[in-house]
């Protein structure tokens, strides 16, 4: 297996038609600021990536000690999230799947939005109904999604068509894994978007695996970005661990959409450095060598190198950054853990705008037994 | 004979049937090298090779559609849908194609195949890793629907399903994949599709249930015996379609009281059909109204899963309710 070799072919230019867009030159001594980005912008993006990495560290710890039931991490995919988020405007919409929650933090959601969801407590915006990793956040136009792979892609196109119809300056960014490109809705979404010239950007997060299935067994095409051509959608392949390249590609794709030129397909080559989820054991299907090879291309390390080349990174900055962020992670998750779980009757809310009578009866019957038989222990029979 | 978990019973059936019949092929997401996310396909690729056991791209339509084509050509595909919550992308293939091939071709073409899929709550999976969609399939003429609750039945029913001539939706109660242990006969072993099983004999009330609800009902029945002296009968339906009307009617005529337990949303759930059969054919022997206990008519919640899924307390209260009826 030599996935990853493509990332070594340095192109170093920013043309949309290239086979692999890359900006960061790992071995250079110095670098110039990329057009349109300030030192502060780059630092902000780096800090965004550190937040995601630290959040994942915290999730893993909580899951391993049994304090949360399940977690999904996105280690190795921070540049994908932060690079594409940084190029968006606040009014733009996001149709994510479960590995893009870093965008939420970057777009200003408070950490307790994420932490409360991990615990499914009474202040969780999803009201404890979805398993962890299924965030929703209307304030930042981060749309709720199901676990069913691919289904959100057509929604993204529809929302883009609606914005276009209303004349709003809104672009929709949507995400799909390499596995998800095989779903029915991927086909339907590209079909619609191409024909209607919808202002939507499809990001294929090619992290090399769909659970245990390597991308070369997912699709026989040499590269997933070639899927755009069949639908008349311009496509580009980008080094997804190079945050500057990701940012630039996203920026240009969003700009095309805003100009009314229609959708773009962006394949972001990256690597799922962690397990698929806390239930997965990657040692069953991939080698340590392969993981090491990709870890050498870690997006945080590469951004750090770029900042060093720019002369805007110091050890002290790094240490202080991690310390303050780690502290925040502990603080917010500990607070979320103390908040009660949703009360029984809330289970019946939001099924409909108004509670139908038959459902009200089911609810009332259940509540009537609550005091009689408190269920404190799952599976226990406290009689 | 060996003591095995339900999951091992399933694995045993797959092993045995693959060994017996070269036409049997297994495929689905992560079932090859990774041996399935629940490990139901353990050692199968190792033993039978990638030609016969392989992981597929992420498309349920592709999995089921391709299986149909294979079955039409004479193979016996046993595809896996990783969670029954993800069967809906293949719904069209199942309902419009697999179920109707025989009928629409006047019997010229058939689809002997088995879709295995884990269903139900029990793993803290929230809305999309917990559902019980059996009623969509029992409502579709042309499909057989099977749900085992013991390791032995898991093996025997799956083997029968694979050897059969009709398409089968084989739903596996993931909550009790490892929690339930029991005797599983070695080698060639089948349990016929159709007949229900008396899981517990009793005289006062009949509970009708299947899958993961069977052990829950057994626990409640024990409590009712202990605390109230009620003698509860439990019928494990095993095959949801074709339905064993005889066993249902026999039991309810004996006890005069019926409680039906299932975890899917109550309204229009499979248990509603059982209630209707009893009402149509045995109303004269009823001493109390029929009672259904189901999931609430809401999507499956995450944090409150323990309240959503019928548990022994809810079933026990239901038993009392039906038996207290004067
Ligand atoms: C329709 C559907 N089928 C199967 C699953 C089970 N499943 C969850 S994630 C996953 C793999 C997804 O891989 P990919 O799209 O590459 O995204 P990644 O997890 O690698 O980010 C599978 C098969 C699902 N959620 N939805």
């Amino acid at each position: 297996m030599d996935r990853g070799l493509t990332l070594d072919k340095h192109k170093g230019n920013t043309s949309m038609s290239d086979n692999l867009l890359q900006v960061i030159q790992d071995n250079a001594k110095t670098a110039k600021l990329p057009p349109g980005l300030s030192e502060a912008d780059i630092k902000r993006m780096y800090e965004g990536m550190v937040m995601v990495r630290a959040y994942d560290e915290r999730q893993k710890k909580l899951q391993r000690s049994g304090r949360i039931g399940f977690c999904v991490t996105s280690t190795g995919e921070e540049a994908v999230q932060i690079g594409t988020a940084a190029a968006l405007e606040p009014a733009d919409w996001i149709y994510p799947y479960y590995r893009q929650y870093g965008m939420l933090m970057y777009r200003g959601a408070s950490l307790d939005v994420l932490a409360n969801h991990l615990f499914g407590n009474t202040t969780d915006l999803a009201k404890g109904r979805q398993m962890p990793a299924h965030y929703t956040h209307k304030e930042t136009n981060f749309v709720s999604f199901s676990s069913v792979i691919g289904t959100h892609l057509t929604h993204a196109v529809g929302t883009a068509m609606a914005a276009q119809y209303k004349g709003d300056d809104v672009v929709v960014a949507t995400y799909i894994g390499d596995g998800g490109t095989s779903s029915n809705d991927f086909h339907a979404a590209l079909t619609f978007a191409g024909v209607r010239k919808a202002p939507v950007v499809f990001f294929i997060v090619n992290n090399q695996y769909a659970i245990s299935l390597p991308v070369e067994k997912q699709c026989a095409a040499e590269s997933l970005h070639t899927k755009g051509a069949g639908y008349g959608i311009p496509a580009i392949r980008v080094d997804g661990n190079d945050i500057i390249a990701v940012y630039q590609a996203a920026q240009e794709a969003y700009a095309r959409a805003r100009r009314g030129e229609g959708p773009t397909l962006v394949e972001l080559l990256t690597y799922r450095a962690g397990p698929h989820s806390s239930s997965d054991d990657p040692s069953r299907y991939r080698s340590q060598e392969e993981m090491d090879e990709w870890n050498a291309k870690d997006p945080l390390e590469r951004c750090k190198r770029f900042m060093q080349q720019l002369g805007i990174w110091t050890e002290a900055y790094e240490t202080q950054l991690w310390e303050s962020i780690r502290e925040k992670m502990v603080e917010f998750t500990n607070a979320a853990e103390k908040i009660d779980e949703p009360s029984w009757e809330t289970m019946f809310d939001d099924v409909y705008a108004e509670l139908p009578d038959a459902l009200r009866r089911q609810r009332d019957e259940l509540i009537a037994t609550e005091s009689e038989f408190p269920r404190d222990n799952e599976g226990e029979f406290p009689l | 004979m060996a003591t095995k978990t339900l999951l091992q019973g399933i694995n045993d059936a797959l092993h045995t049937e693959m060994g017996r019949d070269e036409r049997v092929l297994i495929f689905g997401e992560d079932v090859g090298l990774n041996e399935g996310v629940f490990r139901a396909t353990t050692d199968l690729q190792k033993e039978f090779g990638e030609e016969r056991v392989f992981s597929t791209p992420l498309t349920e339509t592709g999995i089921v559609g391709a299986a149909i084509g294979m079955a039409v050509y004479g193979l016996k595909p046993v595809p896996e849908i990783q969670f029954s919550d993800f069967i809906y992308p293949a719904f069209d293939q199942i309902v419009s194609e697999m179920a109707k091939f025989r009928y629409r071709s006047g019997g010229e073409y058939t689809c002997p195949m088995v879709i295995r899929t884990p269903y139900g709550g029990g793993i803290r999976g929230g809305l999309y890793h917990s559902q019980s969609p059996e009623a969509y399939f029992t409502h579709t003429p042309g499909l057989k629907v099977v749900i085992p609750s013991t390791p032995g039945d898991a093996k025997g029913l799956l083997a029968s399903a694979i050897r059969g001539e009709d398409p089968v939706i084989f739903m596996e109660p993931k909550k009790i994949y490892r929690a339930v242990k029991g005797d599983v006969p070695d080698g060639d072993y089948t349990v016929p599709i159709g007949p229900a099983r008396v899981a517990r004999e009793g005289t006062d009330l009949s509970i009708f249930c299947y899958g993961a609800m069977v052990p829950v009902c057994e626990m409640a029945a024990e409590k009712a015996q202990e605390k109230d002296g009620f003698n509860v009968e439990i019928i494990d339906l095993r095959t949801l379609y074709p339905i064993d009307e005889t066993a249902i009617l026999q039991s309810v005529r004996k006890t005069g009281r019926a409680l039906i337990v299932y975890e899917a949303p109550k309204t229009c759930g499979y248990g509603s059909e059982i209630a209707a059969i009893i009402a149509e054919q045995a109303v004269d022997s009823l001493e109390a109204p029929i009672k259904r206990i189901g999931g609430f008519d809401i999507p499956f919640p995450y944090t409150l899963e323990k309240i959503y899924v019928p548990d022994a307390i809810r079933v026990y209260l239901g038993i009392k309710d039906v038996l207290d009826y004067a």
Side-chain angles (χ1 to χ4, degrees), chain A residues 120 128-129 131 146 184 212 218 284 362 373 375 381, chain B residues 30 35 57-58 61 127-128 297 302-303 311-312 317:
Chain A
R129 292 173 189 152
M131 72 194 296
S146 77
N184 298 351
S212 69
Q218 185 67 243
R284 296 176 66 88
Q362 289 188 3
F373 299 102
R375 282 130 163 123
F381 201 97
Chain B
D30 305 286
E35 305 183 325
L58 205 168
T61 310
L127 270 86
Y128 301 103
D297 292 340
Y302 173 69
T303 309
D311 60 359
L317 291 176

PDB file of all heavy atoms in Angstrom, chain A residues 120 128-129 131 146 184 212 218 284 362 373 375 381, chain B residues 30 35 57-58 61 127-128 297 302-303 311-312 317:
ATOM      1  N   GLY A 120     -25.275  14.369  25.999  1.00  0.00           N
ATOM      2  CA  GLY A 120     -26.714  14.233  25.718  1.00  0.00           C
ATOM      3  C   GLY A 120     -27.559  14.736  26.872  1.00  0.00           C
ATOM      4  O   GLY A 120     -28.575  14.152  27.216  1.00  0.00           O
ATOM      5  N   GLY A 128     -30.457  15.437  23.699  1.00  0.00           N
ATOM      6  CA  GLY A 128     -30.103  14.072  24.090  1.00  0.00           C
ATOM      7  C   GLY A 128     -30.697  13.006  23.195  1.00  0.00           C
ATOM      8  O   GLY A 128     -30.790  11.853  23.576  1.00  0.00           O
ATOM      9  N   ARG A 129     -31.085  13.380  22.002  1.00  0.00           N
ATOM     10  CA  ARG A 129     -31.751  12.386  21.144  1.00  0.00           C
ATOM     11  C   ARG A 129     -30.793  11.667  20.214  1.00  0.00           C
ATOM     12  O   ARG A 129     -31.058  10.537  19.808  1.00  0.00           O
ATOM     13  CB  ARG A 129     -32.839  13.078  20.329  1.00  0.00           C
ATOM     14  CG  ARG A 129     -33.966  13.531  21.234  1.00  0.00           C
ATOM     15  CD  ARG A 129     -34.973  14.368  20.499  1.00  0.00           C
ATOM     16  NE  ARG A 129     -35.901  14.942  21.468  1.00  0.00           N
ATOM     17  CZ  ARG A 129     -36.539  16.068  21.288  1.00  0.00           C
ATOM     18  NH1 ARG A 129     -36.369  16.754  20.171  1.00  0.00           N
ATOM     19  NH2 ARG A 129     -37.351  16.522  22.210  1.00  0.00           N
ATOM     20  N   MET A 131     -26.908  10.205  19.121  1.00  0.00           N
ATOM     21  CA  MET A 131     -25.677   9.761  19.748  1.00  0.00           C
ATOM     22  C   MET A 131     -24.585  10.805  19.501  1.00  0.00           C
ATOM     23  O   MET A 131     -24.689  11.615  18.581  1.00  0.00           O
ATOM     24  CB  MET A 131     -25.276   8.359  19.268  1.00  0.00           C
ATOM     25  CG  MET A 131     -24.782   8.268  17.876  1.00  0.00           C
ATOM     26  SD  MET A 131     -24.699   6.569  17.231  1.00  0.00           S
ATOM     27  CE  MET A 131     -23.506   5.781  18.265  1.00  0.00           C
ATOM     28  N   SER A 146     -28.360  13.132   9.910  1.00  0.00           N
ATOM     29  CA  SER A 146     -28.618  11.780  10.408  1.00  0.00           C
ATOM     30  C   SER A 146     -27.329  10.979  10.326  1.00  0.00           C
ATOM     31  O   SER A 146     -26.316  11.472   9.837  1.00  0.00           O
ATOM     32  CB  SER A 146     -29.696  11.108   9.563  1.00  0.00           C
ATOM     33  OG  SER A 146     -29.155  10.670   8.333  1.00  0.00           O
ATOM     34  N   ASN A 184     -26.245   6.679  -2.829  1.00  0.00           N
ATOM     35  CA  ASN A 184     -27.216   7.115  -3.834  1.00  0.00           C
ATOM     36  C   ASN A 184     -27.279   8.628  -3.941  1.00  0.00           C
ATOM     37  O   ASN A 184     -27.373   9.189  -5.021  1.00  0.00           O
ATOM     38  CB  ASN A 184     -28.621   6.628  -3.443  1.00  0.00           C
ATOM     39  CG  ASN A 184     -28.728   5.125  -3.399  1.00  0.00           C
ATOM     40  OD1 ASN A 184     -27.809   4.427  -3.814  1.00  0.00           O
ATOM     41  ND2 ASN A 184     -29.835   4.623  -2.893  1.00  0.00           N
ATOM     42  N   SER A 212     -13.315   0.022   7.578  1.00  0.00           N
ATOM     43  CA  SER A 212     -12.142  -0.803   7.261  1.00  0.00           C
ATOM     44  C   SER A 212     -11.819  -0.827   5.769  1.00  0.00           C
ATOM     45  O   SER A 212     -10.803  -1.393   5.366  1.00  0.00           O
ATOM     46  CB  SER A 212     -12.391  -2.252   7.731  1.00  0.00           C
ATOM     47  OG  SER A 212     -13.393  -2.865   6.938  1.00  0.00           O
ATOM     48  N   GLN A 218     -13.128   1.076  -2.584  1.00  0.00           N
ATOM     49  CA  GLN A 218     -14.387   1.819  -2.559  1.00  0.00           C
ATOM     50  C   GLN A 218     -14.783   2.204  -3.974  1.00  0.00           C
ATOM     51  O   GLN A 218     -15.957   2.182  -4.334  1.00  0.00           O
ATOM     52  CB  GLN A 218     -14.203   3.085  -1.716  1.00  0.00           C
ATOM     53  CG  GLN A 218     -15.438   3.908  -1.494  1.00  0.00           C
ATOM     54  CD  GLN A 218     -16.450   3.177  -0.638  1.00  0.00           C
ATOM     55  OE1 GLN A 218     -17.554   2.879  -1.089  1.00  0.00           O
ATOM     56  NE2 GLN A 218     -16.085   2.861   0.589  1.00  0.00           N
ATOM     57  N   ARG A 284      -6.911  -4.084  12.868  1.00  0.00           N
ATOM     58  CA  ARG A 284      -7.448  -5.231  12.133  1.00  0.00           C
ATOM     59  C   ARG A 284      -7.266  -5.088  10.627  1.00  0.00           C
ATOM     60  O   ARG A 284      -7.358  -6.059   9.898  1.00  0.00           O
ATOM     61  CB  ARG A 284      -8.944  -5.409  12.427  1.00  0.00           C
ATOM     62  CG  ARG A 284      -9.259  -5.749  13.862  1.00  0.00           C
ATOM     63  CD  ARG A 284     -10.768  -5.810  14.074  1.00  0.00           C
ATOM     64  NE  ARG A 284     -11.388  -6.909  13.348  1.00  0.00           N
ATOM     65  CZ  ARG A 284     -11.515  -8.139  13.825  1.00  0.00           C
ATOM     66  NH1 ARG A 284     -11.086  -8.419  15.038  1.00  0.00           N
ATOM     67  NH2 ARG A 284     -12.086  -9.075  13.108  1.00  0.00           N
ATOM     68  N   GLN A 362     -49.795   8.388  25.387  1.00  0.00           N
ATOM     69  CA  GLN A 362     -48.625   7.535  25.646  1.00  0.00           C
ATOM     70  C   GLN A 362     -47.699   8.213  26.654  1.00  0.00           C
ATOM     71  O   GLN A 362     -47.178   7.588  27.569  1.00  0.00           O
ATOM     72  CB  GLN A 362     -47.837   7.266  24.351  1.00  0.00           C
ATOM     73  CG  GLN A 362     -48.562   6.346  23.387  1.00  0.00           C
ATOM     74  CD  GLN A 362     -47.669   5.938  22.203  1.00  0.00           C
ATOM     75  OE1 GLN A 362     -46.497   6.300  22.126  1.00  0.00           O
ATOM     76  NE2 GLN A 362     -48.238   5.171  21.287  1.00  0.00           N
ATOM     77  N   PHE A 373     -42.190   3.452  39.637  1.00  0.00           N
ATOM     78  CA  PHE A 373     -41.044   2.588  39.344  1.00  0.00           C
ATOM     79  C   PHE A 373     -39.877   3.375  38.772  1.00  0.00           C
ATOM     80  O   PHE A 373     -39.661   3.372  37.571  1.00  0.00           O
ATOM     81  CB  PHE A 373     -41.435   1.489  38.355  1.00  0.00           C
ATOM     82  CG  PHE A 373     -42.503   0.592  38.862  1.00  0.00           C
ATOM     83  CD1 PHE A 373     -43.805   0.742  38.425  1.00  0.00           C
ATOM     84  CD2 PHE A 373     -42.211  -0.400  39.785  1.00  0.00           C
ATOM     85  CE1 PHE A 373     -44.807  -0.088  38.902  1.00  0.00           C
ATOM     86  CE2 PHE A 373     -43.210  -1.231  40.264  1.00  0.00           C
ATOM     87  CZ  PHE A 373     -44.513  -1.074  39.821  1.00  0.00           C
ATOM     88  N   ARG A 375     -36.559   4.185  37.256  1.00  0.00           N
ATOM     89  CA  ARG A 375     -35.555   3.333  36.619  1.00  0.00           C
ATOM     90  C   ARG A 375     -34.203   3.976  36.809  1.00  0.00           C
ATOM     91  O   ARG A 375     -33.822   4.869  36.092  1.00  0.00           O
ATOM     92  CB  ARG A 375     -35.820   3.221  35.120  1.00  0.00           C
ATOM     93  CG  ARG A 375     -36.925   2.266  34.766  1.00  0.00           C
ATOM     94  CD  ARG A 375     -37.858   2.985  33.822  1.00  0.00           C
ATOM     95  NE  ARG A 375     -38.734   2.066  33.114  1.00  0.00           N
ATOM     96  CZ  ARG A 375     -40.031   2.194  33.175  1.00  0.00           C
ATOM     97  NH1 ARG A 375     -40.592   3.098  33.957  1.00  0.00           N
ATOM     98  NH2 ARG A 375     -40.779   1.401  32.455  1.00  0.00           N
ATOM     99  N   PHE A 381     -33.927  -4.793  37.777  1.00  0.00           N
ATOM    100  CA  PHE A 381     -35.346  -4.939  38.054  1.00  0.00           C
ATOM    101  C   PHE A 381     -35.579  -4.591  39.519  1.00  0.00           C
ATOM    102  O   PHE A 381     -35.464  -5.438  40.391  1.00  0.00           O
ATOM    103  CB  PHE A 381     -35.781  -6.377  37.763  1.00  0.00           C
ATOM    104  CG  PHE A 381     -37.251  -6.493  37.530  1.00  0.00           C
ATOM    105  CD1 PHE A 381     -37.758  -6.500  36.246  1.00  0.00           C
ATOM    106  CD2 PHE A 381     -38.129  -6.568  38.602  1.00  0.00           C
ATOM    107  CE1 PHE A 381     -39.122  -6.597  36.033  1.00  0.00           C
ATOM    108  CE2 PHE A 381     -39.499  -6.654  38.382  1.00  0.00           C
ATOM    109  CZ  PHE A 381     -39.993  -6.674  37.095  1.00  0.00           C
TER     110      PHE A 381
ATOM    111  N   ASP B  30     -17.676  -3.906   5.363  1.00  0.00           N
ATOM    112  CA  ASP B  30     -16.730  -4.337   6.405  1.00  0.00           C
ATOM    113  C   ASP B  30     -16.855  -5.808   6.815  1.00  0.00           C
ATOM    114  O   ASP B  30     -16.354  -6.199   7.862  1.00  0.00           O
ATOM    115  CB  ASP B  30     -16.869  -3.448   7.660  1.00  0.00           C
ATOM    116  CG  ASP B  30     -16.707  -1.975   7.335  1.00  0.00           C
ATOM    117  OD1 ASP B  30     -15.565  -1.556   7.087  1.00  0.00           O
ATOM    118  OD2 ASP B  30     -17.723  -1.246   7.294  1.00  0.00           O
ATOM    119  N   GLU B  35     -14.349  -8.547   9.340  1.00  0.00           N
ATOM    120  CA  GLU B  35     -15.258  -9.580   9.855  1.00  0.00           C
ATOM    121  C   GLU B  35     -16.554  -9.022  10.447  1.00  0.00           C
ATOM    122  O   GLU B  35     -17.137  -9.582  11.378  1.00  0.00           O
ATOM    123  CB  GLU B  35     -14.511 -10.472  10.863  1.00  0.00           C
ATOM    124  CG  GLU B  35     -13.247 -11.061  10.224  1.00  0.00           C
ATOM    125  CD  GLU B  35     -12.474 -12.018  11.109  1.00  0.00           C
ATOM    126  OE1 GLU B  35     -12.437 -11.800  12.327  1.00  0.00           O
ATOM    127  OE2 GLU B  35     -11.911 -12.992  10.577  1.00  0.00           O
ATOM    128  N   PRO B  57     -18.278  -1.585  -1.430  1.00  0.00           N
ATOM    129  CA  PRO B  57     -18.427  -0.130  -1.297  1.00  0.00           C
ATOM    130  C   PRO B  57     -19.686   0.216  -0.503  1.00  0.00           C
ATOM    131  O   PRO B  57     -20.557  -0.631  -0.302  1.00  0.00           O
ATOM    132  CB  PRO B  57     -18.535   0.345  -2.744  1.00  0.00           C
ATOM    133  CG  PRO B  57     -17.862  -0.710  -3.551  1.00  0.00           C
ATOM    134  CD  PRO B  57     -18.172  -1.998  -2.841  1.00  0.00           C
ATOM    135  N   LEU B  58     -19.733   1.472  -0.093  1.00  0.00           N
ATOM    136  CA  LEU B  58     -20.802   1.920   0.801  1.00  0.00           C
ATOM    137  C   LEU B  58     -22.074   2.233   0.019  1.00  0.00           C
ATOM    138  O   LEU B  58     -22.410   3.397  -0.187  1.00  0.00           O
ATOM    139  CB  LEU B  58     -20.314   3.157   1.573  1.00  0.00           C
ATOM    140  CG  LEU B  58     -20.953   3.466   2.922  1.00  0.00           C
ATOM    141  CD1 LEU B  58     -20.145   4.538   3.649  1.00  0.00           C
ATOM    142  CD2 LEU B  58     -22.397   3.868   2.844  1.00  0.00           C
ATOM    143  N   THR B  61     -27.958  -0.002  -1.847  1.00  0.00           N
ATOM    144  CA  THR B  61     -28.643  -0.294  -3.110  1.00  0.00           C
ATOM    145  C   THR B  61     -27.804  -1.274  -3.912  1.00  0.00           C
ATOM    146  O   THR B  61     -28.319  -2.244  -4.479  1.00  0.00           O
ATOM    147  CB  THR B  61     -28.809   0.990  -3.946  1.00  0.00           C
ATOM    148  OG1 THR B  61     -29.372   1.992  -3.126  1.00  0.00           O
ATOM    149  CG2 THR B  61     -29.688   0.755  -5.142  1.00  0.00           C
ATOM    150  N   LEU B 127     -30.887   7.505  17.454  1.00  0.00           N
ATOM    151  CA  LEU B 127     -31.911   7.427  16.402  1.00  0.00           C
ATOM    152  C   LEU B 127     -31.606   6.444  15.284  1.00  0.00           C
ATOM    153  O   LEU B 127     -32.504   5.817  14.748  1.00  0.00           O
ATOM    154  CB  LEU B 127     -32.080   8.805  15.732  1.00  0.00           C
ATOM    155  CG  LEU B 127     -33.104   9.747  16.326  1.00  0.00           C
ATOM    156  CD1 LEU B 127     -32.463  10.523  17.448  1.00  0.00           C
ATOM    157  CD2 LEU B 127     -33.611  10.689  15.265  1.00  0.00           C
ATOM    158  N   TYR B 128     -30.342   6.355  14.898  1.00  0.00           N
ATOM    159  CA  TYR B 128     -30.026   5.646  13.651  1.00  0.00           C
ATOM    160  C   TYR B 128     -29.176   4.393  13.828  1.00  0.00           C
ATOM    161  O   TYR B 128     -28.557   3.935  12.881  1.00  0.00           O
ATOM    162  CB  TYR B 128     -29.341   6.598  12.680  1.00  0.00           C
ATOM    163  CG  TYR B 128     -30.165   7.807  12.335  1.00  0.00           C
ATOM    164  CD1 TYR B 128     -29.899   9.046  12.912  1.00  0.00           C
ATOM    165  CD2 TYR B 128     -31.235   7.713  11.453  1.00  0.00           C
ATOM    166  CE1 TYR B 128     -30.646  10.166  12.598  1.00  0.00           C
ATOM    167  CE2 TYR B 128     -31.994   8.825  11.136  1.00  0.00           C
ATOM    168  CZ  TYR B 128     -31.698  10.060  11.711  1.00  0.00           C
ATOM    169  OH  TYR B 128     -32.450  11.156  11.397  1.00  0.00           O
ATOM    170  N   ASP B 297     -44.476   6.176  20.085  1.00  0.00           N
ATOM    171  CA  ASP B 297     -44.551   6.606  18.678  1.00  0.00           C
ATOM    172  C   ASP B 297     -43.658   7.816  18.425  1.00  0.00           C
ATOM    173  O   ASP B 297     -44.112   8.884  18.016  1.00  0.00           O
ATOM    174  CB  ASP B 297     -46.004   6.932  18.316  1.00  0.00           C
ATOM    175  CG  ASP B 297     -46.873   5.689  18.300  1.00  0.00           C
ATOM    176  OD1 ASP B 297     -46.310   4.580  18.180  1.00  0.00           O
ATOM    177  OD2 ASP B 297     -48.097   5.822  18.408  1.00  0.00           O
ATOM    178  N   TYR B 302     -31.567   8.853  22.320  1.00  0.00           N
ATOM    179  CA  TYR B 302     -30.245   8.410  22.790  1.00  0.00           C
ATOM    180  C   TYR B 302     -30.178   8.319  24.315  1.00  0.00           C
ATOM    181  O   TYR B 302     -30.104   7.246  24.886  1.00  0.00           O
ATOM    182  CB  TYR B 302     -29.176   9.371  22.257  1.00  0.00           C
ATOM    183  CG  TYR B 302     -27.787   9.113  22.807  1.00  0.00           C
ATOM    184  CD1 TYR B 302     -27.085   7.961  22.444  1.00  0.00           C
ATOM    185  CD2 TYR B 302     -27.177   9.996  23.688  1.00  0.00           C
ATOM    186  CE1 TYR B 302     -25.821   7.706  22.951  1.00  0.00           C
ATOM    187  CE2 TYR B 302     -25.905   9.751  24.183  1.00  0.00           C
ATOM    188  CZ  TYR B 302     -25.233   8.605  23.825  1.00  0.00           C
ATOM    189  OH  TYR B 302     -23.981   8.352  24.315  1.00  0.00           O
ATOM    190  N   THR B 303     -30.250   9.468  24.978  1.00  0.00           N
ATOM    191  CA  THR B 303     -30.092   9.461  26.439  1.00  0.00           C
ATOM    192  C   THR B 303     -31.187   8.648  27.120  1.00  0.00           C
ATOM    193  O   THR B 303     -30.941   7.952  28.095  1.00  0.00           O
ATOM    194  CB  THR B 303     -30.089  10.906  26.988  1.00  0.00           C
ATOM    195  OG1 THR B 303     -29.136  11.667  26.253  1.00  0.00           O
ATOM    196  CG2 THR B 303     -29.732  10.938  28.454  1.00  0.00           C
ATOM    197  N   ASP B 311     -39.110  -2.478  28.944  1.00  0.00           N
ATOM    198  CA  ASP B 311     -38.249  -3.248  29.838  1.00  0.00           C
ATOM    199  C   ASP B 311     -39.129  -4.147  30.712  1.00  0.00           C
ATOM    200  O   ASP B 311     -40.359  -4.142  30.588  1.00  0.00           O
ATOM    201  CB  ASP B 311     -37.374  -2.315  30.684  1.00  0.00           C
ATOM    202  CG  ASP B 311     -38.195  -1.372  31.549  1.00  0.00           C
ATOM    203  OD1 ASP B 311     -39.450  -1.424  31.484  1.00  0.00           O
ATOM    204  OD2 ASP B 311     -37.598  -0.578  32.290  1.00  0.00           O
ATOM    205  N   ALA B 312     -38.486  -4.904  31.574  1.00  0.00           N
ATOM    206  CA  ALA B 312     -39.227  -5.872  32.375  1.00  0.00           C
ATOM    207  C   ALA B 312     -40.262  -5.186  33.272  1.00  0.00           C
ATOM    208  O   ALA B 312     -41.320  -5.754  33.552  1.00  0.00           O
ATOM    209  CB  ALA B 312     -38.259  -6.700  33.210  1.00  0.00           C
ATOM    210  N   LEU B 317     -45.859  -4.559  34.538  1.00  0.00           N
ATOM    211  CA  LEU B 317     -47.062  -3.747  34.750  1.00  0.00           C
ATOM    212  C   LEU B 317     -48.162  -4.147  33.777  1.00  0.00           C
ATOM    213  O   LEU B 317     -49.349  -4.169  34.125  1.00  0.00           O
ATOM    214  CB  LEU B 317     -46.738  -2.256  34.587  1.00  0.00           C
ATOM    215  CG  LEU B 317     -45.857  -1.635  35.671  1.00  0.00           C
ATOM    216  CD1 LEU B 317     -45.536  -0.179  35.323  1.00  0.00           C
ATOM    217  CD2 LEU B 317     -46.533  -1.700  37.035  1.00  0.00           C
TER     218      LEU B 317
END
